[in-house]
Amino acid sequence: MSVFFGAIADDFTGATDLAAMLARAGVAVNLRIGIPDSTDDLAPFEVIALKSRTLPREDAVSQARAALKWLRGAGAERIFWKYCSTFDSTAQGNIGPVAEALMTDMGVSQTVYCPAFPENGRTVYNGYLHVGDQLLSESPMKDHPLTPMRDASLTRLLRPQVRREVGAIHLPTIRAGAEAIEAAMMRLAEANVAHVVMDAIASEDLDAIAAAVHDLPLLTGGSAIAQSLPELYAQAGALSRPAAPATPPNLSEGSVVLSGSCSAMTRVQVGAYLDQAKGFRLDPLELASEGVLPARRWLAAQDIDAPKIIYATAEPATVAAAQEKLGVARAGVLVEDALAQLALDARNLGVGRIVVAGGETSGAVTRKLDIDRLAIGPEIAPGVPWTFCKSDDKDLAITLKSGNFGSPNFFAEALALLERV
């Protein structure tokens, strides 16, 4: 079997988000952690999870190009560059440079940018990205410790990141349907506009956009736009469907929640779970002086079957204070490395169900557990599935949650869902 559709994601939670949306559409999906070494056991839809969102631009581009090479070598006819629905980017920006590098390598003259995810409250109107009823720049994302988003204009964010022209297609054209969108794309192409930002405030807008652009060799965006693509490809006779989601293996009853995200929703989720679970808070300053041993001892002393959470989740002022003393990079690495070690300890103690919150944390945990592929199971919340894998020959269920996704009771809901499937 060869690959039909290949996706490159800039972080691990984003990759699971995309894989969940594709699986929801009824196609077989493989989620690869990092660039594979071989083309064994291919699925029609392959998603490669990178940890490149905050890398230096040159490194992010290099990794994406390597992923593209593998996907095209495996037969992929369509490529999707997946980034966060809040367009998370450093000031220098990896979203535009990666897209432009992929365009160059593929010989593509135009692509679209569609981060909107209305089901999760991410919408784009007149080129401005909203989170719920707030502009991106006024939402909690303005205080993100690694990618603070201080501008909601996607065209203004994108222009400094790319060499080619940037344009937009706004909601009236989107609402006019696929043919109107295609005509607008052609007019922009005639004006040498290579990067086209799309408005979308409802799922129906995403359907119209997908119908207009699904034949493009390269698409970019959040995960929601991808949900419409498999049906369009199937209607064209390009692939067959459906495929059932993966079922869980035999798992131990033990569970642990590991939270490195400091997003507003994750702070609420941690607070809600602490009402029913024992908790241990990781402080970057204490990790710098004492290491992770106190947390490891605490974990080892807990009942394996009891609900428990280890978290570095904190208010923005607390995060900023630690970053000021340790530096942004060191504070982040201390937390990621600690939670990754605790995930390994949990596995070795017999824990079979691990919930991870935060993209950087998810990357550190999956690498520490030496996971190279995840099977996609049932969705807990929009864009957040359970996944199943083996680590050191032990069966694991693991969910990798993007910081702002899920309901306030997400952690309890996730573990309850696993009991029902």
Side-chain angles (χ1 to χ4, degrees), residues 105-311:
D105 288 359
M106 297 175 67
V108 170
S109 60
Q110 189 181 58
T111 192
V112 298
Y113 294 75
C114 189
F117 195 158
E119 193 175 0
N120 272 339
R122 278 68 163 160
T123 57
V124 180
Y125 181 67
N126 283 342
Y128 284 79
L129 181 55
H130 296 74
V131 179
D133 60 358
Q134 296 178 304
L135 285 167
L136 174 66
S137 52
E138 297 172 3
S139 77
M141 282 301 300
K142 71 181 187 299
D143 296 317
H144 192 286
L146 297 177
T147 53
M149 301 305 295
R150 305 287 169 78
D151 192 346
S153 169
L154 297 183
T155 53
R156 201 156 53 220
L157 286 167
L158 195 55
R159 281 193 180 105
Q161 298 185 18
V162 295
R163 295 183 176 89
R164 307 182 204 183
E165 291 297 319
V166 176
I169 297 178
H170 295 315
L171 197 62
T173 303
I174 303 296
R175 290 288 167 90
E179 289 185 4
I181 297 169
E182 290 179 36
M185 292 281 291
M186 291 180 64
R187 287 194 296 272
L188 289 170
E190 290 168 359
N192 295 317
V193 174
H195 306 276
V196 184
V197 172
M198 295 286 190
D199 276 9
I201 64 172
S203 296
E204 293 78 9
D205 301 328
L206 297 180
D207 292 340
I209 295 167
V213 305
H214 70 278
D215 275 338
L216 292 180
L218 174 67
L219 301 175
T220 91
S223 62
I225 184 69
Q227 184 181 349
S228 300
L229 297 175
E231 181 62 31
L232 292 165
Y233 297 144
Q235 289 174 4
L239 57 90
S240 60
R241 55 186 300 269
T247 55
N250 292 324
L251 300 166
S252 78
E253 293 299 318
S255 68
V256 66
V257 175
L258 303 171
S259 180
S261 168
C262 293
S263 72
M265 180 52 76
T266 303
R267 296 199 301 271
V268 172
Q269 291 163 342
V270 168
Y273 199 59
L274 284 171
D275 288 339
Q276 56 188 288
K278 292 184 178 180
F280 187 99
R281 181 175 177 272
L282 295 174
D283 184 302
L285 297 174
E286 292 177 2
L287 287 171
S289 61
E290 301 175 27
V292 73
L293 187 58
R296 297 181 70 185
R297 286 173 172 164
W298 180 87
L299 178 61
Q302 304 307 304
D303 181 347
I304 190 172
D305 294 332
K308 48 194 167 291
I309 179 171
I310 302 173
Y311 62 101

Side-chain angles (χ1 to χ4, degrees), residues 320-331:
Q323 290 177 334
E324 184 176 352
K325 292 185 178 180
L326 299 171
V328 173
R330 187 177 179 218

Side-chain angles (χ1 to χ4, degrees), residues 242-410:
T247 55
N250 292 324
L251 300 166
S252 78
E253 293 299 318
S255 68
V256 66
V257 175
L258 303 171
S259 180
S261 168
C262 293
S263 72
M265 180 52 76
T266 303
R267 296 199 301 271
V268 172
Q269 291 163 342
V270 168
Y273 199 59
L274 284 171
D275 288 339
Q276 56 188 288
K278 292 184 178 180
F280 187 99
R281 181 175 177 272
L282 295 174
D283 184 302
L285 297 174
E286 292 177 2
L287 287 171
S289 61
E290 301 175 27
V292 73
L293 187 58
R296 297 181 70 185
R297 286 173 172 164
W298 180 87
L299 178 61
Q302 304 307 304
D303 181 347
I304 190 172
D305 294 332
K308 48 194 167 291
I309 179 171
I310 302 173
Y311 62 101
T313 305
E315 295 294 326
T318 303
V319 174
Q323 290 177 334
E324 184 176 352
K325 292 185 178 180
L326 299 171
V328 173
R330 187 177 179 218
V333 168
L334 283 167
V335 168
E336 291 167 30
D337 288 351
L339 288 168
Q341 179 60 56
L342 291 160
L344 184 63
D345 287 353
R347 184 204 70 185
N348 293 341
L349 289 166
V351 169
R353 305 146 192 259
I354 301 175
V355 179
V356 185
E360 301 299 315
T361 304
S362 295
V365 165
T366 50
R367 284 199 308 274
K368 190 72 171 182
L369 294 175
D370 198 25
I371 297 168
D372 62 4
R373 184 165 56 175
L374 295 166
I376 307 302
E379 272 188 289
I380 306 156
V384 192
W386 274 109
T387 68
F388 309 118
C389 63
K390 280 190 177 292
S391 174
D392 193 33
D393 286 329
K394 296 178 176 67
D395 287 318
L396 290 181
I398 186 166
T399 186
L400 309 175
K401 186 194 85 73
S402 181
N404 280 307
F405 282 15
S407 73
N409 293 312
F410 174 84

